Amino acid sequence: MAAEKCVSVEFREVGKTYESISGKVEAVDEVSLSVQGGEFVSIIGPSGCGKSTLLLMAAGLIKASRGKIFVDGNPVEKPVRNVGFVFQDHLLLEWRTVKKNLLLPVEMGKNRKISDERIDKLIQMVGLSGFENRYPMELSGGMQQRVALCRALITDPNLLLMDEPLGALDALTRQQVRYELEKLWLERTCTTLFVTHDIEESILLADRVVVMSERPSKVMEVVNIDLPRPRVFSKGIETEFDKYKIHIRNIFERIGVLGSKAHAR
Amino acid sequence: MKKLTKRNILYVVLPIAVVVALIILWEVLVNALDVPRYILPAPNAIWAALLKYSDWLYSNMLYTLQQIMVGYAITIAVSIPLAVAVTYFSILDRTLYPIMVVLQLIPKVAIAPLFIVWFGFGNLPKVLMVFLLSFFPLVVNSILGFKSINHRLLYMARSITDSEFRTFWMIRLPWALPSIFAGLRISIAFAVVGAVVGEFVGSDRGLGYLLLRANGLMLTDLLFACLIVLSLLGIGLYLMITLLERIVMPWNVFKKELTKSGGAATM
């Protein structure tokens, strides 16, 4: 396990205001959050609350309007290297086969060497053996997202950023890919920020869940999830699990995202 | 993969049968109604003209083809770099692109006589006419192709590398290829039109010239023969682009087949 390679991420009073022709949009009001190396942190909040913005800022792909972000103790000023990205859409290149898609970060990054063994192992772990030379369009949605997951992990990233990676999948496939995700993550722990709008999903994989308010967003609460791993097949954690679920639901009801107040608007 | 099912055979045989039937009907009607040759020659007369004037048609076809190839090469050499520039520099996108879109609306054929005034009767005005007609579809399609890139893909690329060249070569260009080829296919058809118009206005060679000449001499059978050669030329060039597309983008052919057959998986 290469946990020592894992980087910490720190948001220090970070805010983001988008400026467009139609005016200013306050996406993130103020977020302070400290993520330790090797931690899995879920970020949950209503849509449009700037969750994705937080990820892009952490990767150094867009600039924060206020505050500072540190990755591995260094202030983020340009794109952070060795970051794995998974988005809601798989973003596989349709002109590349599965294997070539996996190798894209290697070919583009140039300086890294990846052994065939590692590729084969990844492919095998997510059940894609035999599909190496297929084009993405030949795969089902779940398989496509699995390839996207492997692509993000191929270079052994120090930081994994996932923006609703299961959002586009149907309920059953979602469970399956979630299982693969946990398996892959346990095999090689790295610092992970996981954006979602699904309460169950946020709890299931996380060490901590960051609950965000509506735009302009703030951190409402950080919930520590104290459940044994692996969680997908663990029996007997249902009651504990439900406790966290209700807790987070209550936060959203309190701030008016869920419940009677939300309906009244 | 395509299978030779009864239905597929029918789809090939049926259009051919219709065309053959129409030609026979044409032959019969022209003879029965005694239509004068200079108004509408019968198919067998056109065929005879094709054979009779074959040397003449061939040498003029070569000339026209040459103008098309040179003009089209210039189109490709100008359009694609220009599309890349417009993609990368937003200042060009805001200035040049709208101008090009408006210019596209000008009836370019009307400029042909001006080219004669400026550039005389040599190859240059024809080549320029080919370029002028084929340029816009290619450049506009290429720009649309480059611009349609998924921005999250670019985010991903930037988190992997600083190399804009590799991002272009591995992501932006292949992404735009289907649009570029759509542009190439439209452009080649316009290139043929451009060459004919160029030869109409002032030439002593080429199929466009031969068409006018046949018209003046009331050799309507030769005129039809010219039309056929010209059409075959256009179809041949179009097929060459399609062939090139298959070689350059094998995955795209595959995708089309998937969508046609209902598709095993969706994108």
Side-chain angles (χ1 to χ4, degrees), chain B residues 110-133:
Chain B
I111 302 171
L114 197 61
F115 279 4
I116 302 294
V117 176
W118 287 348
F119 308 112
F121 292 89
N123 293 350
L124 187 61
K126 286 129 208 162
V127 166
L128 280 179
M129 216 48 218
V130 172
F131 166 72
L132 200 64
L133 263 87

Side-chain angles (χ1 to χ4, degrees), chain A residues 246-263:
Chain A
I246 293 162
H247 182 73
I248 294 172
R249 181 176 291 273
N250 283 341
I251 302 171
F252 283 132
E253 277 177 14
R254 201 171 66 231
I255 61 172
V257 173
L258 288 173
S260 51
K261 263 195 272 175
H263 287 293

Side-chain angles (χ1 to χ4, degrees), chain A residues 141-156:
Chain A
M143 285 165 124
Q144 289 168 342
Q145 202 58 349
R146 280 179 197 144
V147 179
L149 209 58
C150 288
R151 179 179 61 185
L153 292 169
I154 192 102
T155 52
D156 264 330

Side-chain angles (χ1 to χ4, degrees), chain B residues 143-155:
Chain B
I143 289 173
L144 289 178
F146 282 119
K147 274 189 176 178
S148 72
I149 188 93
N150 186 326
H151 285 272
R152 283 186 295 283
L153 212 46
L154 294 182
Y155 277 138

Side-chain angles (χ1 to χ4, degrees), chain A residues 5-260:
Chain A
K5 265 175 71 191
C6 291
V7 296
S8 61
V9 182
E10 194 185 347
F11 295 87
R12 213 176 278 169
E13 290 166 6
V14 172
K16 177 72 187 177
T17 308
Y18 285 105
E19 286 182 49
S20 67
I21 311 161
S22 50
K24 287 182 178 178
V25 178
E26 287 277 340
V28 180
D29 182 24
E30 196 196 299
V31 169
S32 291
L33 176 69
S34 196
V35 180
Q36 290 162 17
E39 216 182 353
F40 193 118
V41 171
S42 293
I43 301 171
I44 186 167
S47 62
C49 80
K51 304 179 294 258
S52 311
T53 305
L54 283 179
L55 290 195
L56 292 174
M57 288 193 294
L61 294 170
I62 57 176
K63 281 197 162 64
S65 312
R66 301 172 293 279
K68 270 206 172 288
I69 299 170
F70 298 87
V71 170
D72 204 19
N74 305 313
V76 173
E77 271 144 11
K78 55 184 192 341
V80 179
R81 287 287 169 260
N82 214 1
V83 169
F85 254 114
V86 188
F87 292 97
Q88 183 172 353
D89 36 355
H90 54 77
L91 293 182
L92 298 176
L93 306 178
E94 65 173 35
W95 55 90
R96 283 175 168 247
T97 58
V98 166
K99 190 166 181 178
K100 287 216 143 208
N101 260 294
L102 288 180
L103 285 171
L104 182 82
V106 184
E107 284 175 34
M108 281 190 86
K110 275 237 162 131
N111 42 5
R112 300 191 198 98
K113 285 256 186 308
I114 304 292
S115 66
D116 277 349
E117 264 169 65
R118 164 132 186 98
I119 302 163
D120 291 342
K121 198 184 166 202
L122 266 175
I123 289 177
Q124 208 190 335
M125 274 196 85
V126 295
L128 283 165
S129 303
F131 288 91
E132 294 91 338
N133 297 319
R134 299 293 189 100
Y135 285 109
M137 71 192 91
E138 294 178 88
L139 309 182
S140 67
M143 285 165 124
Q144 289 168 342
Q145 202 58 349
R146 280 179 197 144
V147 179
L149 209 58
C150 288
R151 179 179 61 185
L153 292 169
I154 192 102
T155 52
D156 264 330
N158 305 331
L159 176 61
L160 185 58
L161 301 173
M162 295 193 274
D163 190 355
E164 294 185 29
L166 312 174
L169 305 174
D170 63 84
L172 206 57
T173 313
R174 193 179 246 200
Q175 304 277 340
Q176 292 168 343
V177 179
R178 193 159 74 185
Y179 169 64
E180 314 279 359
L181 176 61
E182 190 178 12
K183 206 168 64 173
L184 285 170
W185 191 78
L186 286 174
E187 186 246 348
R188 191 201 166 283
T189 317
C190 65
T191 317
T192 303
L193 291 178
F194 180 89
V195 161
T196 179
H197 53 219
D198 184 303
I199 295 177
E200 264 186 49
E201 213 168 274
S202 72
I203 301 166
L204 205 67
L205 296 168
D207 296 311
R208 285 192 291 161
V209 177
V210 178
V211 184
M212 308 263 293
S213 69
E214 283 186 303
R215 192 176 64 211
S217 54
K218 284 183 176 171
V219 176
M220 298 314 292
E221 197 173 322
V222 180
V223 184
N224 287 307
I225 308 294
D226 194 14
L227 294 173
R229 291 178 186 280
R231 290 172 184 168
V232 180
F233 287 143
S234 298
K235 298 276 181 207
I237 63 164
E238 283 91 346
T239 42
E240 288 234 40
F241 186 80
D242 283 349
K243 214 175 66 194
Y244 289 118
K245 222 164 99 178
I246 293 162
H247 182 73
I248 294 172
R249 181 176 291 273
N250 283 341
I251 302 171
F252 283 132
E253 277 177 14
R254 201 171 66 231
I255 61 172
V257 173
L258 288 173
S260 51

Side-chain angles (χ1 to χ4, degrees), chain B residues 7-263:
Chain B
R7 178 175 279 192
N8 278 335
I9 294 170
L10 200 67
Y11 282 160
V12 177
V13 170
L14 214 58
I16 295 175
V18 170
V19 171
V20 170
L22 281 174
I23 290 172
I24 292 170
L25 188 70
W26 179 354
E27 182 81 41
V28 170
L29 281 180
V30 165
N31 287 322
L33 300 173
D34 213 9
V35 181
R37 245 188 119 114
Y38 63 88
I39 291 182
L40 185 65
N44 83 61
I46 296 168
W47 178 248
L50 266 173
L51 295 179
K52 185 177 164 193
Y53 302 111
S54 61
D55 287 352
W56 212 14
L57 284 164
Y58 180 69
S59 61
N60 282 297
M61 188 270 286
L62 278 188
Y63 179 76
T64 304
L65 180 62
Q66 192 192 327
Q67 312 309 311
I68 294 172
M69 293 313 265
V70 175
Y72 195 59
I74 298 173
T75 290
I76 294 173
V78 173
S79 302
I80 292 173
L82 193 63
V84 173
V86 167
T87 313
Y88 275 98
F89 302 106
S90 58
I91 181 80
L92 289 180
D93 188 25
R94 272 181 223 145
T95 53
L96 217 57
Y97 186 57
I99 294 173
M100 282 193 293
V101 171
V102 171
L103 278 180
Q104 198 185 359
L105 300 171
I106 294 175
K108 291 166 284 289
V109 173
I111 302 171
L114 197 61
F115 279 4
I116 302 294
V117 176
W118 287 348
F119 308 112
F121 292 89
N123 293 350
L124 187 61
K126 286 129 208 162
V127 166
L128 280 179
M129 216 48 218
V130 172
F131 166 72
L132 200 64
L133 263 87
S134 59
F135 167 72
F136 290 104
L138 183 55
V139 81
V140 170
N141 269 286
S142 303
I143 289 173
L144 289 178
F146 282 119
K147 274 189 176 178
S148 72
I149 188 93
N150 186 326
H151 285 272
R152 283 186 295 283
L153 212 46
L154 294 182
Y155 277 138
M156 194 184 77
R158 263 208 291 147
S159 81
I160 296 171
T161 180
D162 286 328
S163 162
E164 194 44 59
F165 173 75
R166 258 176 269 155
T167 304
F168 177 78
W169 187 248
M170 291 179 169
I171 294 178
R172 281 185 188 264
L173 183 64
W175 181 278
L177 274 180
S179 284
I180 293 175
F181 268 98
L184 283 173
R185 267 184 274 127
I186 304 168
S187 281
I188 196 69
F190 276 103
V192 176
V193 177
V196 172
V197 170
E199 287 165 6
F200 271 181
V201 204
S203 185
D204 54 3
R205 264 175 295 172
L207 287 172
Y209 154 79
L210 200 57
L211 253 169
L212 279 193
R213 186 82 193 278
N215 193 40
L217 296 170
M218 294 269 239
L219 290 172
T220 314
D221 50 356
L222 175 59
L223 199 151
F224 269 94
C226 282
L227 268 181
I228 289 170
V229 174
L230 212 46
S231 307
L232 289 178
L233 186 66
I235 293 168
L237 289 168
Y238 185 89
L239 287 179
M240 269 175 61
I241 301 287
T242 311
L243 186 70
L244 192 68
E245 189 178 357
R246 278 172 172 260
I247 294 167
V248 176
M249 303 193 298
W251 71 89
N252 208 45
V253 178
F254 191 68
K255 187 178 165 188
K256 277 180 191 163
E257 271 174 20
L258 261 186
T259 6
K260 237 189 265 172
S261 65

